[in-house]
């Protein structure tokens, strides 16, 4: 059974990927420094898959510790690297914190596991900025990032591409996520935002459960069907399954290039108001919302062309907006009854 290291494995996308790797027959090891996640997620994962994966509480910025870990885990056949800071607003206030953490951890990881590394890198559609053509393909030019967070994703992709060019045994797949939302069907794992949620869906569920007031729709004067901004929302379980497909591709050695990029979205855009109405439709809950000004840094509309992921990874998102909303709601109700 192949052993896969998941860094950031107690986080939102990481924990769902641990579950899907197990379901696909992989053994999983998790590294996390718990700076943005809760260790109880390990118990929740155990409740879902029936075993608790090996876990190392470790900061990937600590080069000596990362090297020691790799030395004692020579049987790891692939790494999925989620561990990074990812709050757009915080990154504007604390750029050096973001550049240090997100680059030190990536570089330490590559150096520690040596040249024969199969690496899946967690990237983001944020690298596209506001695309000139929609749906956006992997060949679209990246645009100047709107935040240090987005810049760390762009520069990390460059670091990986340039390193792959001179280290032929290093094989990397960068996955550009659109908007991950929802939760596992068991409602035992999901998104655990710290403080006031910046992202739309966790704010919606917290507003619906009474933890927050009315939702503010950031702008309804965009050039979109109802004036609110458009995003490509993807169920986190679909996203997790794409990581299994990427690991398989690296293990099979099918790729002609040792650096590849794939979009992970549904290929469909939804407006903020459509998401709000889909939540009400699928849960029966009435949402309070007001229309506010646009949020600086937001793009107007973005959704992905996922042809490449479907044709080459053999993966396609299966879950729609209703399941995204109902699973997010079930998770919020679980948190109300079982506070972390
Ligand atoms: C979605 C839409 C908001 C909150 C971010 C990161 C991106 C990726 C996904 C990691 C936008 C609107 C939001 C609210 C609102 N993360 N909104 N009221 O900004 O598209 O992407 O998460 O890879 O890198 O930037 O996600 O959920 O914050 O916003 O109207 O209270 O909802 O304006 O149009 P975003 P989001």
């Amino acid at each position: 059974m192949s052993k896969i290291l998941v860094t950031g494995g107690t986080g939102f996308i990481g924990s769902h990927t641990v579950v899907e790797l197990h379901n696909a027959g992989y053994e999983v090891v998790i590294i996390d420094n718990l700076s943005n996640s809760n260790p109880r997620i390990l118990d929740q994962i155990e409740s879902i898959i029936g075993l608790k994966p090996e876990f190392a509480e470790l900061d990937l910025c600590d080069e000596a510790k990362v090297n020691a870990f790799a030395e004692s885990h020579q049987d790891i056949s692939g790494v999925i690297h989620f561990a990074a800071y990812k709050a757009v607003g915080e990154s504007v206030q604390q750029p050096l914190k973001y550049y240090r953490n997100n680059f030190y951890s990536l570089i330490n990881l590559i150096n520690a596991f040596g040249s024969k590394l199969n690496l899946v890198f967690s990237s983001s559609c944020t690298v596209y900025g506001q695309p000139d053509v929609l749906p956006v393909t992997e060949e679209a030019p990246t645009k100047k990032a709107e935040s240090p967070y987005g810049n760390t994703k762009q520069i990390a992709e460059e670091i990986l591409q340039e390193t792959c060019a001179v280290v032929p045994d290093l094989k990397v797949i960068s996955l550009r996520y659109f908007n991950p939302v929802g939760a596992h069907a068991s409602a035992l794992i999901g998104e655990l935002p710290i403080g006031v949620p910046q992202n739309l869906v966790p704010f919606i569920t917290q507003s619906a459960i009474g933890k927050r007031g009315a939702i503010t729709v950031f702008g309804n004067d965009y050039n979109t069907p109802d004036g609110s901004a458009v995003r490509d929302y993807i169920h986190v379980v679909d996203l997790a399954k794409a990581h299994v497909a990427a690991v398989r591709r690296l293990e099979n050695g099918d790729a002609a290039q040792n650096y590849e990029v794939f979009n992970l979205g549904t290929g469909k855009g939804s407006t903020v108001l459509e998401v709000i109405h889909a939540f009400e439709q699928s849960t029966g809950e009435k949402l309070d919302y007001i229309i506010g000004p646009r949020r600086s840094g937001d793009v107007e509309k973005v959704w992905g062309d996922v042809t490449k992921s479907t044709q080459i990874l053999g993966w396609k998102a299966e879950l729609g907006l209703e399941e995204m909303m109902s699973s997010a709601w079930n998770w919020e109700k679980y948190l109300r009854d079982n506070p972390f």
Side-chain angles (χ1 to χ4, degrees):
M1 180 192 286
S2 293
K3 190 180 281 189
I4 303 294
L5 168 62
V6 177
T7 74
T10 57
F12 174 39
I13 304 169
S15 56
H16 287 82
T17 301
V18 167
V19 169
E20 296 309 326
L21 283 167
H22 170 82
N23 293 345
Y26 288 95
E27 184 181 349
V28 178
V29 181
I30 296 172
I31 282 180
D32 206 302
N33 67 1
L34 301 176
S35 64
N36 189 27
S37 59
N38 189 306
R40 256 194 57 194
I41 288 294
L42 293 166
D43 302 322
Q44 305 294 101
I45 290 171
E46 184 179 15
S47 303
I48 296 170
I49 65 176
L51 60 89
K52 192 175 281 187
E54 181 189 345
F55 172 69
E57 184 176 351
L58 191 155
D59 185 340
L60 291 172
C61 290
D62 184 329
E63 186 174 13
K65 288 209 174 119
V66 179
N67 290 340
F69 179 91
E71 190 55 36
S72 61
H73 290 79
Q74 311 254 345
D75 55 349
I76 281 172
S77 71
V79 178
I80 304 179
H81 181 42
F82 292 106
Y85 293 150
K86 59 154 191 145
V88 172
E90 184 189 48
S91 77
V92 174
Q93 301 309 319
Q94 303 183 62
L96 286 181
K97 173 182 174 184
Y98 273 65
Y99 288 117
R100 178 185 179 281
N101 183 67
N102 292 6
F103 294 149
Y104 277 32
S105 52
L106 175 65
I107 292 165
N108 286 345
L109 202 59
I110 299 170
N111 285 334
F113 280 90
S115 61
K116 289 198 182 315
L117 174 60
N118 290 332
L119 177 67
V120 177
F121 175 66
S122 167
S123 190
S124 169
C125 66
T126 202
V127 303
Y128 297 118
Q130 176 58 64
D132 301 324
V133 176
L134 288 169
V136 62
T137 72
E138 292 84 352
E139 284 64 49
T142 56
K143 296 236 175 119
K144 169 115 183 63
E146 298 275 346
S147 68
Y149 158 75
N151 212 19
T152 66
K153 291 301 182 186
Q154 284 180 349
I155 297 169
E157 285 195 11
E158 289 166 12
I159 290 170
L160 289 166
Q161 187 166 22
E162 289 160 12
T163 307
C164 284
V166 293
V167 182
D169 287 339
L170 173 60
K171 291 191 288 180
V172 176
I173 286 178
S174 284
L175 299 176
R176 291 175 177 169
Y177 310 155
F178 284 74
N179 286 55
V181 298
H184 191 261
S186 65
L188 292 172
I189 53 176
E191 200 165 358
L192 260 178
I194 294 175
V196 178
Q198 299 306 302
N199 293 134
L200 176 64
V201 174
F203 197 99
I204 284 176
T205 58
Q206 290 193 10
S207 174
I209 206 124
K211 276 180 77 171
R212 306 284 167 209
I215 299 142
T216 301
V217 175
F218 296 142
N220 70 341
D221 58 348
Y222 288 108
N223 177 21
T224 64
D226 58 28
S228 61
V230 174
R231 295 290 185 275
D232 183 337
Y233 297 93
I234 176 169
H235 197 296
V236 65
V237 171
D238 277 329
L239 195 65
K241 288 177 177 174
H243 288 74
V244 178
V247 163
R248 275 211 192 96
R249 179 166 174 80
L250 290 172
E251 285 189 321
N252 298 341
D254 293 349
Q257 309 285 330
N258 65 335
Y259 181 75
E260 293 184 297
V261 177
F262 293 94
N263 282 342
L264 296 185
T266 63
K268 181 183 175 306
S270 300
T271 70
V272 175
L273 291 170
E274 284 168 345
V275 171
I276 287 173
H277 297 143
F279 181 85
E280 294 178 323
Q281 192 71 34
S282 69
T283 64
E285 298 293 325
K286 184 83 186 73
L287 290 173
D288 290 334
Y289 64 89
I290 57 171
I291 305 294
R294 294 181 177 189
R295 178 172 68 175
S296 69
D298 274 347
V299 297
E300 177 179 64
K301 47 192 169 190
V302 60
W303 63 93
D305 179 317
V306 292
T307 310
K308 188 179 172 189
S309 295
T310 303
Q311 289 180 348
I312 296 180
L313 287 184
W315 167 88
K316 189 167 174 56
E318 295 165 355
L319 300 167
L321 212 48
E322 301 254 318
E323 168 60 26
M324 292 179 215
M325 296 301 111
S326 58
S327 60
W329 180 229
N330 291 336
W331 165 244
E332 190 66 60
K333 287 186 288 185
Y334 175 86
L335 286 176
R336 174 195 57 198
D337 304 335
N338 307 271
F340 267 52

